[in-house]
Amino acid sequence: MITGAGTLVRLALRRDRVRLIAWGLGFLLTMWFSVAAVIDAYSGPGALGARAALAHSPGTVVIAGPLFGADEPSIGPVVANELTTMLLVVIAVISVLCAVRHTRADEEAGRTELVRAQVTARRAPAVAALVAVATLDLVVSATVVIALVGNDLPVADSVALGVSCLLTGFLFGAVAAVTAQLAPSARGASALALGVVGSAFAVRAVGDMLEPATGSWLSWLSPLAWGQQTRAFADLRWWPLALTVVATVVALAVAAVLSERRDLGSGLLPSRGGPGSAEASLLGTGGLARRLLRPSFLSWGTGIVLTAALTGSMARSVEDMLADSPDMAAWIGVSSRDLVASFSTYLLGFLVVMTTAFAVSAVLVLRAEERSGRAELVLVSGVPRTRWVGVWITVVAVEAAVILLVASLAMGVCTAVATGEWHWVGDLLVAGLVNLPGALVAPALAAALVAWLPRWAPLAWVLMGWSAFVLLLGPVLGLPGWVGDLSPLELTPKLPEADFHVTPVLVLTLVVVVLVLLVRPGTARRDLLTA
């Protein structure tokens, strides 16, 4: 019996109750409609054959992995191929963030020290954190099974896919428990663990490209491949999940050993000593903002640009598939008039959503800087609060613009290489520029909320999530026009497919400007947040 573990488990679940409900409902709705949409899209004659032919293209293999049963394609393997990789990545990421939040983040906030001052076992907080991760993974995995079974897919294969998500998520939660012992801070622990997730994705992608039909030996070095190799709906086998279980036990054992060798609030990896004097670029408020945001800017930017390049390289293959599958084209809302333009417009929307996610998270760092006390250290040097916030928002806007425009350029170049038509470089670069005001609406809302109602600032994620929902499922659900128009992306002219209209762009720009102008008076009227 680990003294105090039960109480801390109840506390952790109580703290996460809203997150659990939100993730559960979000995954249930998204998965249910996504599965239904995939089934509907591939119901037409020749659609499954066209999808099987696309499965061997490099871009598809990198994103989705092998399509098992491609020789005689059926709807089950296609659903698994469309959804499994992204499901595993998403559940790995949220498991990492949950584990770090309940371990190193609590240590930095001082909560773990208060708990350990009571009659509590040394490992009780870690046990409670792992139970919280397992609960989150169980909720999400259950929604996956419900969505699959609810759309009349085989129960055993649906359960296997759900168990794959559960075990993969918990494995990366255990990885985060290890990095929490190594890194000197919560941010460092998250970065190390997410780096492992990214490395696992890269190894799987390279391994699958070596053998697109089944995955090569290199694929088996990635935990993400173990979930795929259950081959749900094609040739179900459970034994690859044993590798996940073994790796999880090893990670937990390593975390337990390392926890005995470090002091509370510190990491086993030493912090790097800084230079004796600051660079000139760091002496200003803007330089500090760029330095603090640099890790997220580089990680988000690299991921978005690589995604853009991959989707651009698939242009010709996707054009052929959509030409053979009008139902699939109707699902993602593309027209037969110019399939490359329609497909590029659709995928550009995802790049805009990802850019918006980066910008919203970067703006919300302002709130974390206040609560951690670092903002006070900046302000006592004589920097006005309004200037500090204004410069931060400007840096976020510039970095978001750089990410979106570079991604649009990468997508244009790869589309041009794939199709041999070089006008796509300019077309997609202009389309990215036109989408920039819509991408900045949610970050501007986040900035206004941080200024006036900081506790409610995370509501900006709702607008970003709605934009993604409308983009992904709007054509399938047939949402009324006014409902879709609540998304800034729906108001933006859909270049390069549609004609350009200046009025929506000006309206969205005006909305961004108004929200940003509200930041200054809101910041000036309230006190700093405290922990």
Side-chain angles (χ1 to χ4, degrees), residues 104 178-190 192 266-269:
R104 289 309 300 276
V178 173
T179 62
Q181 314 306 318
L182 298 175
S185 66
R187 183 178 296 183
S190 297
L192 285 175
S266 64
L268 294 176
L269 295 178

Side-chain angles (χ1 to χ4, degrees), residues 54 141 222 300 318 407 461 503:
L54 181 66
S141 302
S222 168
W300 276 97
V318 171
W461 286 113
T503 302

Side-chain angles (χ1 to χ4, degrees), residues 285-286 366 370 375 378-379 382-395 447 450-452 516-526 528:
T285 309
L366 277 170
E370 288 190 41
V378 175
L379 299 179
V383 178
R385 286 179 60 189
T386 53
R387 179 185 171 192
W388 172 63
V389 173
V391 170
W392 189 285
I393 294 172
T394 302
V395 170
V450 167
W452 289 89
V516 171
L517 289 177
L518 290 173
V519 171
R520 182 182 179 88
T523 302
R525 64 178 288 275
R526 70 169 177 85
L528 284 174

Side-chain angles (χ1 to χ4, degrees), residues 251-283:
L252 292 176
V254 171
V257 171
L258 294 179
S259 68
E260 299 292 337
R261 302 189 177 188
R262 75 174 182 95
D263 293 328
L264 185 68
S266 64
L268 294 176
L269 295 178
S271 300
R272 290 188 303 169
S277 58
E279 299 176 3
S281 61
L282 290 176
L283 298 180

Side-chain angles (χ1 to χ4, degrees), residues 35 38-39 74-84 148 153 161 233:
V35 173
V38 172
I39 293 174
S74 59
I75 193 61
V78 170
V79 169
N81 185 249
E82 292 275 351
L83 302 177
T84 299
L148 293 170
L153 291 173
L161 187 54
F233 308 108

Side-chain angles (χ1 to χ4, degrees), residues 439-502:
L440 294 179
V441 171
L445 175 62
L449 289 174
V450 167
W452 289 89
L453 300 168
R455 289 186 59 188
W456 297 96
L459 285 177
W461 286 113
V462 175
L463 179 59
M464 194 225 73
W466 179 250
S467 298
F469 181 83
V470 171
L471 174 68
L472 180 63
L473 298 175
V476 179
L477 301 178
L479 297 174
W482 68 270
V483 175
D485 288 344
L486 296 176
S487 163
L489 294 186
E490 287 298 300
L491 297 175
T492 303
K494 297 186 179 299
L495 271 64
E497 179 185 16
D499 295 330
F500 174 71
H501 298 285
V502 69

Side-chain angles (χ1 to χ4, degrees), residues 100-113:
V100 174
R101 183 172 65 251
H102 285 286
T103 52
R104 289 309 300 276
D106 276 357
E107 290 185 25
E108 291 183 357
R111 285 186 286 268
T112 303
E113 188 173 8

